[in-house]
Every structure is written in C-alpha cells, then in structure tokens.
C-alpha cells in the first residue's frame, strides 16, 4: 500500500509540474524570501505613489488616471523581474514612448481593425528597436480606446513623458539603493 501511495504521489507531482502548477526548479515564487517580497511591494507602491502625486499636481487628472494602468504593469515587471530584458530602462522608456506615439498616429475607421493593427505594429516596432516591454502595448491602446469618444492628439505625449520620466528616475533610485539590483543599466541590449 505504501508503495502505491509513493508512486501515485510521484506521478501526481509529475502531472502538476507538466501543467505548471508546481515547479521543480528555482523559478518558483515561493523561493523568494519574505523580506524581498516586502521590499519589492514597497518599491512599487512608492514609485506609483510618486508618479501619481506628481501627475495630479502638474497635469490634467484624467491623463494621470489613464496612464496608471500601464504604469502599474510596468512596476510589476521592473521591480518583480529586475533581471529580465523586459525590465531594462531602454525597454521601458523607448517601449512606452514609441508605443504611445504610434497609438496617437493610428487612424482607421473600424475600431476592431484599429486596435488589432496597433498591437501588431507595436509588437513589430518593439522587435525592431529592441525595446520589448509588454505594458507599453497598453500605453499604445490608451489613445486608440480614447479615440472612440474624443479627439486624441499629440498633447497626450506630455503626460505620458512626465509619467515615464518620473517613473524611470524613481525606479532607478529604488532599484539601485533600496533593492540593490545591479542589473539596471542604460544599455540597449
């Protein structure tokens, strides 16, 4: 009976590993020490708090609310996955800037085609400029979605750039001097 239980446990763990439920390697999130998790969460909180505070003081409150979604996703990537190529300053800054600019320039009468084409082109541009940052695609969709109800122009680039620059400076400081990540350099690759 003991042998049957042992084999069934072994096979069930193998099946769960194949499904991605359990991991047999160090990529499991539970191996990250609690103190590191707390520091990452506080760094993300601090960054979003500062970006939001500065945005609401300087720019139109509607613009800061629109951009918080993509900035929140960027916080997860930059603080929780700091060694990922997706978390590099180049990927963050250029990815969001290129994608926001493209989102404002896209003009198609069919909304479904507009949204789909925007994401397809954004993905190709991120490959070309080597600035893959998934949440930047959300930034490209902000003007696309907004264009259904109002005229969106290049004036949206100022709040985007303000959010990006404040986020970049705060995240570089926190990554370097609070989280002690040495991976945040300004290299293209």
């Amino acid at each position: 009976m003991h042998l049957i239980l042992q084999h069934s446990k072994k096979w069930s763990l193998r099946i769960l590993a194949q499904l991605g439920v359990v991991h047999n390697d160090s990529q499991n999130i539970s191996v990250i020490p609690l103190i590191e998790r707390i520091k990452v969460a506080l760094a993300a909180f601090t960054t979003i708090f500062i970006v939001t505070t500065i945005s609401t003081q300087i720019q139109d409150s509607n613009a800061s609310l629109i951009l918080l979604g993509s900035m929140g996703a960027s916080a997860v990537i930059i603080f929780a996955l700091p060694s990922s190529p997706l978390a590099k300053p180049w990927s963050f800054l250029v990815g969001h800037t290129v994608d926001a600019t493209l989102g404002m320039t896209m003009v198609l009468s069919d909304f479904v085609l507009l949204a789909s084409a925007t994401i397809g082109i954004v993905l190709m541009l991120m490959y070309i400029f080597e600035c893959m940052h998934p949440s930047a695609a959300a930034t490209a969709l902000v003007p696309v979605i907004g264009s259904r109800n109002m005229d969106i122009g290049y004036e949206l680039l100022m709040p985007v750039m303000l959010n990006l620059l404040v986020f970049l400076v705060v995240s570089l400081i926190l990554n370097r001097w609070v989280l002690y990540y040495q991976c945040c350099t300004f290299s293209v690759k």
Side-chain angles (χ1 to χ4, degrees):
M1 183 65 164
H2 177 67
L3 188 60
I4 293 172
L5 287 174
Q6 188 178 7
H7 283 295
S8 64
K9 181 179 177 183
K10 179 182 168 183
W11 280 104
S12 61
L13 284 175
R14 222 179 245 177
I15 291 169
L16 290 173
Q18 288 294 325
L19 294 173
V21 176
V22 296
H23 302 280
N24 297 328
D25 57 24
S26 64
Q27 296 298 313
N28 195 348
I29 291 176
S30 65
V31 300
I32 299 171
L34 180 61
I35 192 70
E36 285 301 310
R37 295 180 202 185
I38 293 170
K39 284 168 48 176
V40 165
L42 288 174
F45 168 83
T46 302
T47 302
I48 295 300
F49 184 83
I50 292 171
V51 168
T52 306
T53 301
I54 291 174
S55 293
T56 55
Q57 296 298 318
I58 293 178
Q59 56 180 301
D60 182 349
S61 62
N62 290 334
S64 66
L65 292 174
I66 289 171
L67 294 173
L68 281 179
S70 59
M71 294 298 109
S74 288
V76 171
I77 293 168
I78 288 172
F79 293 114
L81 306 167
S83 60
S84 169
L86 306 175
K88 301 299 180 210
W90 172 264
S91 298
F92 169 77
L93 190 60
V94 175
H96 277 287
T97 304
V98 167
D99 293 1
T101 305
L102 178 77
M104 287 179 237
T105 59
M106 294 292 291
V107 180
L108 292 171
S109 58
D110 182 2
F111 177 72
V112 174
L113 186 58
L114 176 63
S116 304
T118 299
I119 294 302
I121 294 170
V122 155
L123 187 59
M124 203 61 216
L125 287 174
M126 286 193 285
Y127 275 128
I128 291 169
F129 291 112
E130 295 190 28
C131 59
M132 191 63 65
H133 191 76
S135 56
T139 301
L141 283 178
V142 168
V144 169
I145 293 168
S147 69
R148 290 186 63 149
N149 300 324
M150 65 181 105
D151 266 349
I152 301 289
Y154 288 101
E155 66 276 356
L156 187 62
L157 268 182
M158 277 309 282
V160 169
M161 293 311 296
L162 176 63
N163 274 253
L164 293 176
L165 292 176
V166 171
F167 189 104
L168 181 66
V169 169
V170 173
S171 65
L172 285 173
I173 290 168
L174 290 174
N175 271 331
R176 181 69 66 166
W177 288 296
V178 175
L179 300 173
Y180 303 110
Y181 295 147
Q182 300 299 317
C183 62
C184 298
T185 60
F186 283 97
S187 63
V188 174
K189 293 182 183 179

